[in-house]
mmCIF file of all heavy atoms in Angstrom:
data_model
loop_
_atom_site.group_PDB
_atom_site.id
_atom_site.type_symbol
_atom_site.label_atom_id
_atom_site.label_comp_id
_atom_site.label_asym_id
_atom_site.label_seq_id
_atom_site.Cartn_x
_atom_site.Cartn_y
_atom_site.Cartn_z
ATOM 1 N N LEU A 1 -219.265 43.190 -64.180
ATOM 2 C CA LEU A 1 -219.036 42.690 -65.526
ATOM 3 C C LEU A 1 -219.774 41.393 -65.759
ATOM 4 O O LEU A 1 -220.312 41.158 -66.850
ATOM 5 C CB LEU A 1 -217.555 42.487 -65.698
ATOM 6 C CG LEU A 1 -216.699 43.750 -65.828
ATOM 7 C CD1 LEU A 1 -215.217 43.401 -65.742
ATOM 8 C CD2 LEU A 1 -217.018 44.475 -67.116
ATOM 9 N N SER A 2 -219.807 40.544 -64.797
ATOM 10 C CA SER A 2 -220.524 39.292 -64.934
ATOM 11 C C SER A 2 -222.015 39.492 -65.119
ATOM 12 O O SER A 2 -222.720 38.863 -65.940
ATOM 13 C CB SER A 2 -220.333 38.378 -63.680
ATOM 14 O OG SER A 2 -218.951 38.014 -63.546
ATOM 15 N N LYS A 3 -222.581 40.465 -64.372
ATOM 16 C CA LYS A 3 -224.002 40.768 -64.460
ATOM 17 C C LYS A 3 -224.285 41.330 -65.861
ATOM 18 O O LYS A 3 -225.356 40.994 -66.469
ATOM 19 C CB LYS A 3 -224.409 41.767 -63.405
ATOM 20 C CG LYS A 3 -225.902 42.044 -63.377
ATOM 21 C CD LYS A 3 -226.264 42.854 -62.075
ATOM 22 C CE LYS A 3 -227.778 42.996 -62.079
ATOM 23 N NZ LYS A 3 -228.222 43.627 -60.793
ATOM 24 N N ILE A 4 -223.439 42.195 -66.345
ATOM 25 C CA ILE A 4 -223.646 42.772 -67.675
ATOM 26 C C ILE A 4 -223.599 41.666 -68.750
ATOM 27 O O ILE A 4 -224.439 41.620 -69.656
ATOM 28 C CB ILE A 4 -222.620 43.856 -67.980
ATOM 29 C CG1 ILE A 4 -222.794 45.062 -67.052
ATOM 30 C CG2 ILE A 4 -222.611 44.306 -69.422
ATOM 31 C CD1 ILE A 4 -221.669 46.065 -67.041
ATOM 32 N N GLY A 5 -222.544 40.798 -68.632
ATOM 33 C CA GLY A 5 -222.426 39.729 -69.606
ATOM 34 C C GLY A 5 -223.612 38.740 -69.595
ATOM 35 O O GLY A 5 -224.084 38.367 -70.691
ATOM 36 N N THR A 6 -224.080 38.388 -68.382
ATOM 37 C CA THR A 6 -225.174 37.472 -68.268
ATOM 38 C C THR A 6 -226.441 38.100 -68.848
ATOM 39 O O THR A 6 -227.259 37.433 -69.518
ATOM 40 C CB THR A 6 -225.418 37.087 -66.799
ATOM 41 O OG1 THR A 6 -224.238 36.464 -66.305
ATOM 42 C CG2 THR A 6 -226.594 36.183 -66.666
ATOM 43 N N SER A 7 -226.651 39.434 -68.590
ATOM 44 C CA SER A 7 -227.846 40.088 -69.070
ATOM 45 C C SER A 7 -227.811 40.115 -70.593
ATOM 46 O O SER A 7 -228.885 39.964 -71.271
ATOM 47 C CB SER A 7 -227.880 41.522 -68.556
ATOM 48 O OG SER A 7 -228.034 41.533 -67.146
ATOM 49 N N TRP A 8 -226.643 40.278 -71.206
ATOM 50 C CA TRP A 8 -226.567 40.286 -72.634
ATOM 51 C C TRP A 8 -226.871 38.909 -73.244
ATOM 52 O O TRP A 8 -227.581 38.740 -74.219
ATOM 53 C CB TRP A 8 -225.190 40.794 -73.132
ATOM 54 C CG TRP A 8 -225.033 40.717 -74.612
ATOM 55 C CD1 TRP A 8 -225.588 41.463 -75.557
ATOM 56 C CD2 TRP A 8 -224.207 39.725 -75.266
ATOM 57 N NE1 TRP A 8 -225.186 41.059 -76.811
ATOM 58 C CE2 TRP A 8 -224.341 39.991 -76.647
ATOM 59 C CE3 TRP A 8 -223.343 38.721 -74.893
ATOM 60 C CZ2 TRP A 8 -223.690 39.256 -77.620
ATOM 61 C CZ3 TRP A 8 -222.715 37.974 -75.813
ATOM 62 C CH2 TRP A 8 -222.862 38.261 -77.173
ATOM 63 N N GLU A 9 -226.236 37.875 -72.605
ATOM 64 C CA GLU A 9 -226.460 36.487 -73.071
ATOM 65 C C GLU A 9 -227.948 36.076 -73.002
ATOM 66 O O GLU A 9 -228.418 35.368 -73.860
ATOM 67 C CB GLU A 9 -225.608 35.551 -72.207
ATOM 68 C CG GLU A 9 -224.095 35.659 -72.472
ATOM 69 C CD GLU A 9 -223.306 34.783 -71.516
ATOM 70 O OE1 GLU A 9 -223.943 34.207 -70.602
ATOM 71 O OE2 GLU A 9 -222.047 34.740 -71.655
ATOM 72 N N LYS A 10 -228.660 36.595 -71.997
ATOM 73 C CA LYS A 10 -230.042 36.282 -71.915
ATOM 74 C C LYS A 10 -230.984 37.213 -72.654
ATOM 75 O O LYS A 10 -232.187 37.055 -72.602
ATOM 76 C CB LYS A 10 -230.457 36.301 -70.374
ATOM 77 C CG LYS A 10 -229.745 35.185 -69.547
ATOM 78 C CD LYS A 10 -230.270 35.219 -68.117
ATOM 79 C CE LYS A 10 -229.609 34.096 -67.334
ATOM 80 N NZ LYS A 10 -230.080 34.071 -65.888
ATOM 81 N N GLY A 11 -230.386 38.143 -73.382
ATOM 82 C CA GLY A 11 -231.174 39.068 -74.187
ATOM 83 C C GLY A 11 -231.833 40.125 -73.391
ATOM 84 O O GLY A 11 -232.749 40.816 -73.926
ATOM 85 N N LYS A 12 -231.432 40.407 -72.207
ATOM 86 C CA LYS A 12 -232.057 41.463 -71.373
ATOM 87 C C LYS A 12 -231.520 42.847 -71.744
ATOM 88 O O LYS A 12 -232.218 43.849 -71.493
ATOM 89 C CB LYS A 12 -231.770 41.178 -69.854
ATOM 90 C CG LYS A 12 -232.459 39.967 -69.357
ATOM 91 C CD LYS A 12 -232.192 39.750 -67.851
ATOM 92 C CE LYS A 12 -232.854 38.543 -67.276
ATOM 93 N NZ LYS A 12 -232.617 38.344 -65.862
ATOM 94 N N ILE A 13 -230.327 42.922 -72.299
ATOM 95 C CA ILE A 13 -229.770 44.171 -72.803
ATOM 96 C C ILE A 13 -229.249 43.946 -74.180
ATOM 97 O O ILE A 13 -228.945 42.808 -74.619
ATOM 98 C CB ILE A 13 -228.667 44.714 -71.897
ATOM 99 C CG1 ILE A 13 -227.489 43.759 -71.820
ATOM 100 C CG2 ILE A 13 -229.208 45.029 -70.485
ATOM 101 C CD1 ILE A 13 -226.297 44.301 -71.098
ATOM 102 N N SER A 14 -229.141 45.020 -74.959
ATOM 103 C CA SER A 14 -228.639 44.942 -76.315
ATOM 104 C C SER A 14 -227.126 44.934 -76.355
ATOM 105 O O SER A 14 -226.473 45.238 -75.393
ATOM 106 C CB SER A 14 -229.195 46.112 -77.141
ATOM 107 O OG SER A 14 -228.657 47.330 -76.658
ATOM 108 N N ILE A 15 -226.593 44.597 -77.489
ATOM 109 C CA ILE A 15 -225.152 44.589 -77.698
ATOM 110 C C ILE A 15 -224.621 46.000 -77.542
ATOM 111 O O ILE A 15 -223.491 46.220 -77.061
ATOM 112 C CB ILE A 15 -224.742 43.960 -79.032
ATOM 113 C CG1 ILE A 15 -223.188 43.871 -79.130
ATOM 114 C CG2 ILE A 15 -225.280 44.818 -80.178
ATOM 115 C CD1 ILE A 15 -222.537 42.949 -78.151
ATOM 116 N N SER A 16 -225.354 46.970 -77.961
ATOM 117 C CA SER A 16 -224.915 48.383 -77.868
ATOM 118 C C SER A 16 -224.841 48.821 -76.346
ATOM 119 O O SER A 16 -223.955 49.527 -75.960
ATOM 120 C CB SER A 16 -225.839 49.321 -78.598
ATOM 121 O OG SER A 16 -227.152 49.244 -78.130
ATOM 122 N N GLN A 17 -225.832 48.326 -75.588
ATOM 123 C CA GLN A 17 -225.756 48.610 -74.117
ATOM 124 C C GLN A 17 -224.545 47.950 -73.420
ATOM 125 O O GLN A 17 -223.885 48.493 -72.616
ATOM 126 C CB GLN A 17 -227.024 48.159 -73.480
ATOM 127 C CG GLN A 17 -228.274 48.997 -73.742
ATOM 128 C CD GLN A 17 -229.516 48.457 -73.141
ATOM 129 O OE1 GLN A 17 -229.936 47.288 -73.419
ATOM 130 N NE2 GLN A 17 -230.165 49.266 -72.289
ATOM 131 N N GLU A 18 -224.297 46.671 -73.875
ATOM 132 C CA GLU A 18 -223.146 45.973 -73.322
ATOM 133 C C GLU A 18 -221.834 46.660 -73.687
ATOM 134 O O GLU A 18 -220.957 46.866 -72.854
ATOM 135 C CB GLU A 18 -223.126 44.565 -73.888
ATOM 136 C CG GLU A 18 -222.052 43.595 -73.256
ATOM 137 C CD GLU A 18 -220.722 43.728 -73.899
ATOM 138 O OE1 GLU A 18 -220.668 44.218 -75.055
ATOM 139 O OE2 GLU A 18 -219.709 43.353 -73.268
ATOM 140 N N HIS A 19 -221.779 47.123 -74.942
ATOM 141 C CA HIS A 19 -220.581 47.846 -75.371
ATOM 142 C C HIS A 19 -220.409 49.190 -74.658
ATOM 143 O O HIS A 19 -219.318 49.533 -74.217
ATOM 144 C CB HIS A 19 -220.646 48.100 -76.913
ATOM 145 C CG HIS A 19 -219.493 48.907 -77.397
ATOM 146 N ND1 HIS A 19 -218.194 48.363 -77.516
ATOM 147 C CD2 HIS A 19 -219.392 50.171 -77.888
ATOM 148 C CE1 HIS A 19 -217.391 49.280 -78.037
ATOM 149 N NE2 HIS A 19 -218.086 50.394 -78.267
ATOM 150 N N LEU A 20 -221.497 49.895 -74.478
ATOM 151 C CA LEU A 20 -221.447 51.196 -73.809
ATOM 152 C C LEU A 20 -220.991 51.018 -72.343
ATOM 153 O O LEU A 20 -220.192 51.781 -71.827
ATOM 154 C CB LEU A 20 -222.862 51.840 -73.832
ATOM 155 C CG LEU A 20 -222.994 53.228 -73.249
ATOM 156 C CD1 LEU A 20 -222.043 54.244 -73.918
ATOM 157 C CD2 LEU A 20 -224.432 53.704 -73.307
ATOM 158 N N ALA A 21 -221.518 49.994 -71.663
ATOM 159 C CA ALA A 21 -221.089 49.740 -70.313
ATOM 160 C C ALA A 21 -219.622 49.403 -70.239
ATOM 161 O O ALA A 21 -218.895 49.903 -69.312
ATOM 162 C CB ALA A 21 -221.962 48.597 -69.737
ATOM 163 N N THR A 22 -219.162 48.638 -71.187
ATOM 164 C CA THR A 22 -217.744 48.227 -71.177
ATOM 165 C C THR A 22 -216.816 49.440 -71.387
ATOM 166 O O THR A 22 -215.811 49.605 -70.747
ATOM 167 C CB THR A 22 -217.458 47.176 -72.288
ATOM 168 O OG1 THR A 22 -218.239 46.055 -72.054
ATOM 169 C CG2 THR A 22 -215.983 46.789 -72.304
ATOM 170 N N VAL A 23 -217.225 50.343 -72.268
ATOM 171 C CA VAL A 23 -216.447 51.575 -72.580
ATOM 172 C C VAL A 23 -216.334 52.406 -71.292
ATOM 173 O O VAL A 23 -215.274 52.964 -70.970
ATOM 174 C CB VAL A 23 -217.074 52.373 -73.695
ATOM 175 C CG1 VAL A 23 -216.469 53.749 -73.797
ATOM 176 C CG2 VAL A 23 -216.906 51.616 -75.005
ATOM 177 N N ILE A 24 -217.477 52.554 -70.562
ATOM 178 C CA ILE A 24 -217.462 53.360 -69.334
ATOM 179 C C ILE A 24 -216.512 52.816 -68.290
ATOM 180 O O ILE A 24 -215.690 53.480 -67.631
ATOM 181 C CB ILE A 24 -218.905 53.465 -68.782
ATOM 182 C CG1 ILE A 24 -219.721 54.345 -69.693
ATOM 183 C CG2 ILE A 24 -218.907 54.079 -67.341
ATOM 184 C CD1 ILE A 24 -221.242 54.395 -69.339
ATOM 185 N N ILE A 25 -216.570 51.458 -68.112
ATOM 186 C CA ILE A 25 -215.732 50.771 -67.125
ATOM 187 C C ILE A 25 -214.267 50.894 -67.511
ATOM 188 O O ILE A 25 -213.399 51.167 -66.703
ATOM 189 C CB ILE A 25 -216.181 49.347 -66.972
ATOM 190 C CG1 ILE A 25 -217.585 49.253 -66.402
ATOM 191 C CG2 ILE A 25 -215.154 48.578 -66.033
ATOM 192 C CD1 ILE A 25 -218.170 47.856 -66.381
ATOM 193 N N ARG A 26 -214.007 50.700 -68.852
ATOM 194 C CA ARG A 26 -212.593 50.803 -69.290
ATOM 195 C C ARG A 26 -212.024 52.193 -69.074
ATOM 196 O O ARG A 26 -210.892 52.372 -68.680
ATOM 197 C CB ARG A 26 -212.539 50.464 -70.793
ATOM 198 C CG ARG A 26 -211.068 50.527 -71.325
ATOM 199 C CD ARG A 26 -211.026 50.217 -72.828
ATOM 200 N NE ARG A 26 -211.357 48.795 -73.113
ATOM 201 C CZ ARG A 26 -212.464 48.415 -73.732
ATOM 202 N NH1 ARG A 26 -213.327 49.317 -74.172
ATOM 203 N NH2 ARG A 26 -212.661 47.105 -73.963
ATOM 204 N N LYS A 27 -212.840 53.213 -69.331
ATOM 205 C CA LYS A 27 -212.361 54.602 -69.152
ATOM 206 C C LYS A 27 -212.042 54.855 -67.698
ATOM 207 O O LYS A 27 -211.079 55.498 -67.396
ATOM 208 C CB LYS A 27 -213.436 55.560 -69.644
ATOM 209 C CG LYS A 27 -213.022 57.021 -69.645
ATOM 210 C CD LYS A 27 -214.087 57.961 -70.128
ATOM 211 C CE LYS A 27 -214.368 57.714 -71.588
ATOM 212 N NZ LYS A 27 -215.307 58.747 -72.139
ATOM 213 N N PHE A 28 -212.853 54.392 -66.820
ATOM 214 C CA PHE A 28 -212.619 54.529 -65.357
ATOM 215 C C PHE A 28 -211.291 53.871 -64.990
ATOM 216 O O PHE A 28 -210.452 54.454 -64.283
ATOM 217 C CB PHE A 28 -213.754 53.908 -64.545
ATOM 218 C CG PHE A 28 -213.397 53.628 -63.130
ATOM 219 C CD1 PHE A 28 -213.183 54.649 -62.178
ATOM 220 C CD2 PHE A 28 -213.282 52.324 -62.691
ATOM 221 C CE1 PHE A 28 -212.802 54.379 -60.858
ATOM 222 C CE2 PHE A 28 -212.991 52.029 -61.363
ATOM 223 C CZ PHE A 28 -212.718 53.067 -60.466
ATOM 224 N N LEU A 29 -211.068 52.649 -65.425
ATOM 225 C CA LEU A 29 -209.892 51.911 -65.067
ATOM 226 C C LEU A 29 -208.618 52.542 -65.648
ATOM 227 O O LEU A 29 -207.577 52.608 -64.979
ATOM 228 C CB LEU A 29 -209.986 50.404 -65.575
ATOM 229 C CG LEU A 29 -211.069 49.601 -64.903
ATOM 230 C CD1 LEU A 29 -211.207 48.246 -65.615
ATOM 231 C CD2 LEU A 29 -210.784 49.384 -63.411
#
């Protein structure tokens, strides 16, 4: 989660990618 958040803050991934990753993790949990 930290890596995903840092990547988004630095502009390495888009907000849609960050949201998609979060949805996948939430579904697993």
Side-chain angles (χ1 to χ4, degrees):
L1 288 170
S2 296
K3 184 170 184 173
I4 292 169
T6 300
S7 295
W8 175 72
E9 290 174 354
K10 293 183 177 180
K12 294 181 178 180
I13 62 174
S14 65
I15 185 62
S16 60
Q17 287 177 301
E18 188 275 341
H19 178 71
L20 183 59
T22 300
V23 168
I24 290 174
I25 296 171
R26 181 183 291 114
K27 186 180 293 186
F28 161 70
L29 294 173

